[in-house]
């Protein structure tokens, strides 16, 4: 009988423990949802800060170019101009702005053409003869050029231009600009051409095509996105270049736009609204080129780096 009572107490104890209310479980999705919401908030805040850092300077640039010199010192920097005027643009266009724009265009176009053509030929030779020791050595030398800062060699470049009797000419700006644009251009072009199937080159060899025919009939059309990418990149760098024009030229008729912007500084002050108007006008050509080539630019930036 005692055994029966013990068993019944044991059963009751087990049933009592089994009938205790279970502790409420916390939903597992809440921490993940909170982390996702925090991530979205941080991403949106970073995007907002980045957008403001880009839009606000452009807004201030355009608004300031529409102010008079009196309104520039009297109004708030980010306020809309009370009396907008185009007098600053007329002042810039009535001066030598056309000469400076033409000089910048000549230097930029000449540099981009020489750089792209030379880089295409060099990259094609490196890719076609990639197994050669000389080809690998040449590619490494071009990559070594990426580690040489422009400021470190400006004095040797100046002395070389003097020895070549090219000082104070547009060619004195073009030649060093081509030399410093070649390394990055060759690197991008080699990375792109290496993704072209070798069977295409071998098929043209079987048909009796020469290296020149393969270069201009096969490599150049296939590398069009990369060519547009390096052309826009190199053109932007040369268009905004300041050090070479400052050191290698001195005449006013040889000045380019970045150097010409310093001419709006007087002895006792600077005409800020006119300078901002000149900056806006000098930005328009680059903006037009970017809008026309944006698709090819994006395609070139995302292609050619799979290996």
């Amino acid at each position: 009988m005692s055994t029966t009572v013990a068993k019944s107490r044991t059963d009751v104890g087990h049933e009592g423990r089994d009938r205790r209310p279970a502790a409420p479980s916390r939903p597992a999705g809440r921490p993940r949802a909170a982390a996702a919401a925090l991530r979205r908030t941080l991403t949106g805040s970073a995007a907002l800060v980045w957008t403001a850092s880009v839009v606000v300077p452009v807004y201030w640039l355009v608004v300031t170019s529409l102010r008079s010199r009196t309104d520039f010192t009297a109004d708030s920097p980010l306020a809309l101009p009370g009396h907008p005027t185009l007098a600053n643009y007329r002042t810039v266009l009535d001066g030598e702005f056309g000469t400076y724009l033409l000089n910048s265009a000549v230097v930029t176009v000449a540099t981009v053409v020489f750089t792209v053509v030379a880089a295409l030929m060099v990259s094609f030779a490196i890719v076609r003869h990639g197994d050669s020791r000389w080809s690998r050595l040449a590619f490494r030398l071009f990559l070594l050029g990426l580690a040489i800062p422009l400021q470190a060699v400006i004095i040797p470049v100046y002395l070389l231009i003097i020895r070549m009797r090219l000082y104070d000419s547009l060619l004195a700006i073009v030649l060093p600009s081509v030399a410093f644009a070649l390394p990055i251009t060759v690197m991008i072009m080699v990375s792109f051409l290496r993704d072209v199937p070798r069977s295409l080159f071998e098929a043209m060899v079987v048909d009796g095509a020469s290296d020149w025919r393969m270069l201009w009939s096969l490599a150049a059309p296939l590398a069009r996105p990369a060519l547009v990418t390096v052309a826009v990149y190199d053109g932007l760098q040369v268009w905004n270049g300041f050090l070479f024009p400052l050191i290698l030229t001195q005449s006013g008729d040889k000045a380019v736009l970045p150097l010409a912007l310093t001419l709006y500084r007087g002895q006792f002050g600077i005409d800020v609204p006119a300078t901002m108007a000149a900056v806006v006008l000098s930005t328009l050509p680059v903006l037009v080129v970017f809008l026309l080539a944006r698709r090819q630019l994006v395609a070139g930036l995302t292609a050619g780096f799979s290996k």
Side-chain angles (χ1 to χ4, degrees):
M1 181 176 178
S2 60
T3 305
T4 305
V5 173
K7 287 183 178 180
S8 62
R9 290 179 179 177
T10 304
D11 294 339
V12 171
H14 284 296
E15 290 178 0
R17 285 196 298 268
D18 294 339
R19 292 176 181 176
R20 290 177 183 176
S25 60
R26 296 181 180 178
R30 288 185 180 179
R32 296 181 180 180
L38 179 61
R39 190 182 304 111
R40 287 194 298 267
T41 302
L42 294 177
T43 303
S45 301
L48 183 62
V49 171
W50 183 85
T51 303
S53 64
V54 173
V55 173
V56 171
V58 175
Y59 168 79
W60 178 81
L61 179 70
V62 175
V63 167
T64 304
S65 67
L66 298 175
R67 301 181 190 274
S68 63
R69 300 189 68 173
T70 304
D71 293 339
F72 173 73
T73 57
D75 295 342
S76 174
L78 297 180
L80 292 174
H83 304 283
T85 177
L86 296 177
N88 299 312
Y89 291 92
R90 287 194 294 268
T91 301
V92 172
L93 295 176
D94 290 342
E96 300 295 331
F97 184 83
T99 301
Y100 308 144
L101 179 64
L102 180 61
N103 292 340
S104 291
V106 169
V107 170
T108 302
V109 172
T111 301
V112 169
V113 170
F114 290 156
T115 302
V116 170
V117 173
L120 178 61
M121 293 189 293
V122 170
S123 304
F124 177 78
I126 291 175
V127 172
R128 283 289 296 151
H129 306 283
D131 298 333
S132 173
R133 182 182 64 178
W134 298 106
S135 178
R136 295 195 298 268
L137 179 61
F139 185 55
R140 291 171 182 173
L141 289 177
F142 277 104
L143 293 182
L144 183 62
L146 296 173
I148 302 176
L150 185 150
Q151 293 81 3
V153 295
I154 189 61
I155 295 178
V157 169
Y158 171 78
L159 295 177
L160 184 61
I161 292 297
I162 292 293
R163 294 287 182 87
M164 297 173 64
R165 298 183 180 181
L166 295 176
Y167 182 75
D168 199 20
S169 65
L170 296 182
L171 190 59
I173 307 175
V174 172
L175 293 181
S177 300
V178 171
F180 278 89
L182 273 176
I184 183 66
T185 308
V186 169
M187 185 190 70
I188 295 175
M189 293 301 303
V190 168
S191 300
F192 192 93
L193 291 178
R194 280 177 176 171
D195 283 349
V196 177
R198 297 183 65 89
S199 58
L200 297 179
F201 295 105
E202 294 172 356
M204 293 196 70
V205 171
V206 172
D207 293 338
S210 62
D211 287 342
W212 283 102
R213 181 63 181 274
M214 286 188 288
L215 172 62
W216 300 114
S217 300
L218 178 63
L222 292 178
R224 183 182 302 174
L227 292 175
V228 174
T229 300
V230 297
V232 174
Y233 176 81
D234 294 338
L236 184 61
Q237 297 298 315
V238 177
W239 186 271
N240 294 328
F242 182 79
L243 186 59
F244 282 148
L246 177 65
I247 301 299
L248 303 178
T249 59
Q250 65 177 1
S251 300
D253 58 344
K254 299 298 188 301
V256 294
L257 284 175
L259 186 61
L261 295 178
T262 61
L263 301 179
Y264 295 96
R265 181 182 59 192
Q267 182 178 2
F268 301 103
I270 180 173
D271 191 353
V272 177
T275 304
M276 296 300 104
V279 172
V280 172
L281 292 176
S282 64
T283 306
L284 292 180
V286 179
L287 181 61
V288 171
V289 171
F290 176 78
L291 292 177
L292 294 177
R294 65 184 184 278
R295 291 185 179 179
Q296 295 288 339
L297 181 62
V298 173
L301 289 174
T302 56
F305 292 94
S306 61
K307 292 185 180 181

